[in-house]
Amino acid sequence: MRDKAPWNIKRELLTKSEDETDPKYGCRPEERQYPDIVRFGIINLDKPSGPSSHEVTAWVKRILGIEHAGHGGTLEPAIYLGLWAWRSQSDRRSTRSLRGGN
Amino acid sequence: MTGVLPVALEEATKVIQALLVAGKEYVGVMKLHKDAPEGKVREVFNEFQGKIYQRPPTRASVKKAIRVRTIYYLDILEIEGRNILFKVGCEAGTYIRKLVFDIGRALGCGAHMHELRRIRAGPFTEDKNMVTLHDILYLYDRWREAGDIKMLRKFILPMERALDFMPKIFIRDSAVDAICHGAHLTAPGITHVESGIKPSDKVAVFTLKGEAVALGTAIASTEEILKATHGIMVKTDRVLMPRGIYPKLWK
């Protein structure tokens, strides 16, 4: 049988032993206040097509005025960066060979 | 490429490791280089479901050894001439461009990827809570002007949402701070456990309020955890919650 995608797996919550949580400590994630809402927050961003994932993440950092942000799973294949590096390298190479020809 | 890019803020950057290994879903357009019979196309698409062997593209930043990746599903949404609109659900680290290229080769006609959009990264999808950079700018400004926290809640989700599809284990208040100090989770601290956990599975440890405490590796199965009275059940890999939020009740 084919593997199920993780988002199609249903899990059941089973009780080992009941207990209560003291409202004095911690906070339900949906009820966090500023600045914790930002400190422990994540954004489901629709990445535009132009800039790289790193650039977009840097913009988010700047807009929110925060120190750290990171993205989960780069949205442009490394092949692009590699191709770019390879091309600039081959550009250099061709420049050199042109010079050599001169 | 466009689409779902989860951006974790400040302390929440620690959950990124869970997202990097989470499955992804894409919609793309593949362009065939020659005509191919539709029956053949559908047949080949079927063959590329399940475990596939993939050699990372020659210029990718990882080792070039052939690796196995799981394609959970690969559906044709529409065929129009040589253009094929498809949807794929796959394991992290699958190269879709390469997948399209390999399908083209299997078809014998060659193919390349024309367009690609990610519609899911782990639990984050494009149809739920997705925002643009413009939304962020607008909503953050409104928060700054009026101090209405609802504006922040409109685009910032709790980091816990990143762990929605990880198997979860819930613990007592008294067990929380020890985990925050890097201790492993032992049986007495556990109140609830999700079904289907096997030893060596990656799991997330939560408080009873639903806050993420740590990511870890299960040492025992769900059944064993339910029965156990002592011993380490989860090895802590990554602490997510700062120390001192819950009382220090351990020695």
Side-chain angles (χ1 to χ4, degrees):
Chain A
M1 207 194 75
R2 242 166 56 205
D3 286 345
K4 266 189 177 176
W7 48 92
N8 288 328
I9 295 173
K10 297 269 174 291
R11 291 183 191 274
E12 221 183 313
L13 187 63
L14 307 167
T15 305
K16 180 169 167 68
S17 86
E18 288 290 354
D19 200 2
E20 281 178 8
T21 180
D22 190 334
K24 271 197 299 197
Y25 309 109
C27 172
R28 291 189 33 196
E30 304 74 33
E31 290 165 7
R32 283 189 189 121
Q33 299 298 314
Y34 186 83
D36 279 358
I37 195 170
V38 176
R39 272 179 81 206
F40 301 103
I42 189 160
I43 298 175
N44 180 9
L45 181 70
D46 187 357
K47 182 191 161 291
S49 66
S52 70
S53 300
H54 286 96
E55 286 172 313
V56 170
T57 304
W59 288 346
V60 171
K61 242 162 72 173
R62 212 165 52 207
I63 294 170
L64 303 182
I66 57 174
E67 297 263 318
H68 305 285
H71 55 268
T74 304
L75 247 187
E76 48 279 316
I79 186 168
Y80 269 2
L81 304 170
L83 191 63
W84 178 80
W86 170 78
R87 222 178 56 187
S88 51
Q89 203 181 39
S90 63
D91 284 352
R92 276 203 297 279
R93 221 179 283 139
S94 56
T95 323
R96 212 177 297 145
S97 61
L98 273 180
R99 266 195 221 123
N102 280 342
Chain B
M1 208 174 10
T2 67
V4 175
L5 182 73
V7 177
L9 316 174
E10 307 277 34
E11 302 271 345
T13 46
K14 292 173 193 157
V15 302
I16 286 174
Q17 75 177 80
L19 285 172
L20 293 178
V21 298
K24 313 283 190 306
E25 199 176 21
Y26 300 87
V27 168
V29 176
M30 163 176 175
K31 239 181 180 27
L32 303 179
H33 296 162
K34 288 183 195 131
D35 292 329
E38 189 179 322
K40 181 90 187 289
V41 171
R42 292 191 184 275
E43 200 186 298
V44 170
F45 262 71
N46 264 326
E47 280 168 23
F48 276 83
Q49 295 184 107
K51 301 246 182 284
I52 61 155
Y53 295 89
Q54 200 175 51
R55 189 187 290 277
T58 36
R59 291 170 200 111
S61 54
V62 295
K63 209 175 139 205
K64 300 308 175 299
I66 288 182
R67 49 193 207 180
V68 181
R69 284 293 177 269
T70 302
I71 306 295
Y72 305 120
Y73 45 83
L74 176 60
D75 301 329
I76 295 176
L77 302 179
E78 216 179 299
I79 301 183
E80 204 187 84
R82 291 180 185 175
N83 293 330
I84 301 167
L85 180 67
F86 66 91
K87 179 160 126 178
V88 59
C90 59
E91 201 183 337
T94 310
Y95 288 90
I96 307 300
R97 226 167 263 277
K98 183 74 172 142
L99 177 74
V100 163
F101 177 85
D102 289 344
I103 291 172
R105 223 163 40 172
L107 275 168
C109 63
H112 70 273
M113 203 169 60
H114 183 59
E115 230 176 297
L116 190 65
R117 178 172 170 83
R118 182 153 75 197
I119 58 170
R120 175 193 286 278
F124 299 105
T125 59
E126 64 170 357
D127 46 19
K128 228 179 130 192
N129 305 116
M130 191 196 228
V131 291
T132 62
L133 281 170
H134 291 98
D135 295 334
I136 295 176
L137 208 55
Y138 173 77
L139 292 167
Y140 192 68
D141 267 358
R142 298 222 10 221
W143 146 254
R144 291 268 302 251
E145 279 162 18
D148 182 359
I149 198 136
K150 268 193 249 129
M151 295 302 138
L152 290 184
R153 293 199 210 283
K154 276 189 184 184
F155 73 98
I156 304 177
L157 308 168
M159 65 173 181
E160 283 77 5
R161 293 291 72 72
L163 312 175
D164 278 352
F165 292 128
M166 282 190 79
K168 293 178 200 62
I169 294 178
F170 291 82
I171 61 173
R172 296 174 209 288
D173 288 2
S174 55
V176 176
D177 204 52
I179 306 289
C180 295
H181 280 77
H184 299 318
L185 176 61
T186 55
I190 300 172
T191 62
H192 302 79
V193 54
E194 282 192 344
S195 60
I197 296 172
K198 301 181 296 301
S200 85
D201 278 358
K202 296 294 173 195
V203 298
V205 177
F206 279 76
T207 66
L208 288 169
K209 293 186 188 75
E211 305 148 287
V213 182
L215 301 175
T217 306
I219 302 294
S221 68
T222 297
E223 294 70 28
E224 288 163 345
I225 293 172
L226 284 169
K227 278 190 223 132
T229 54
H230 64 277
I232 292 172
M233 298 292 116
V234 178
K235 285 209 152 149
T236 300
D237 297 329
R238 189 82 160 110
V239 175
L240 302 173
M241 181 184 276
R243 297 171 180 187
I245 291 183
Y246 278 77
K248 186 173 181 170
L249 296 173
W250 46 286
K251 286 163 240 135

